């Protein structure tokens, strides 16, 4: 495993896992508000969200950042 992979906190975490965990934590409506992406509210499904995030790098970045923030939050300990 390279140093880049070891230093990447998202290494080995699938986009589907990220979306699923965030939806379980916040729900579709609140998640859409937190990341200001309305597609999560208009069509609340993992399949459509994954399709959108794979085609939209800025949105994927926002979702990944929120996921990482939840993992580093002291409330999750």
């Amino acid at each position: 495993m390279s140093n880049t992979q070891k230093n990447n906190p998202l290494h080995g975490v699938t986009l589907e896992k990220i979306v699923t965990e965030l939806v379980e934590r916040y729900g579709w409506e609140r998640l859409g508000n937190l990341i200001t992406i309305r597609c999560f509210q208009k069509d609340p499904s993992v399949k459509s969200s994954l399709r959108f995030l794979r085609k939209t790098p800025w949105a994927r970045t926002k979702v990944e950042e929120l996921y990482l923030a939840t993992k580093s939050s002291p409330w999750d300990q």
Side-chain angles (χ1 to χ4, degrees):
M1 183 180 298
S2 72
N3 282 339
T4 305
Q5 289 175 330
K6 283 197 279 189
N7 294 334
N8 180 356
L10 292 173
H11 177 71
V13 180
T14 66
L15 187 55
E16 184 171 6
K17 177 179 171 42
I18 291 171
V19 171
T20 301
E21 281 192 32
L22 290 175
V23 169
E24 287 174 1
R25 181 180 178 112
Y26 298 111
W28 289 105
E29 183 77 21
R30 185 157 179 237
L31 179 59
N33 288 335
L34 285 169
I35 58 177
T36 63
I37 300 174
R38 296 287 170 239
C39 80
F40 285 86
Q41 297 164 337
K42 289 182 178 180
D43 184 3
S45 73
V46 172
K47 184 176 180 180
S48 69
S49 297
L50 291 175
R51 187 171 47 247
F52 173 77
L53 292 172
R54 287 185 178 119
K55 292 193 288 187
T56 317
W58 66 266
R60 181 179 181 147
T61 299
K62 287 181 93 169
V63 169
E64 289 172 345
E65 288 172 352
L66 178 61
Y67 176 79
L68 290 174
T70 64
K71 293 302 177 190
S72 65
S73 168
W75 304 109
D76 289 341
Q77 307 296 316

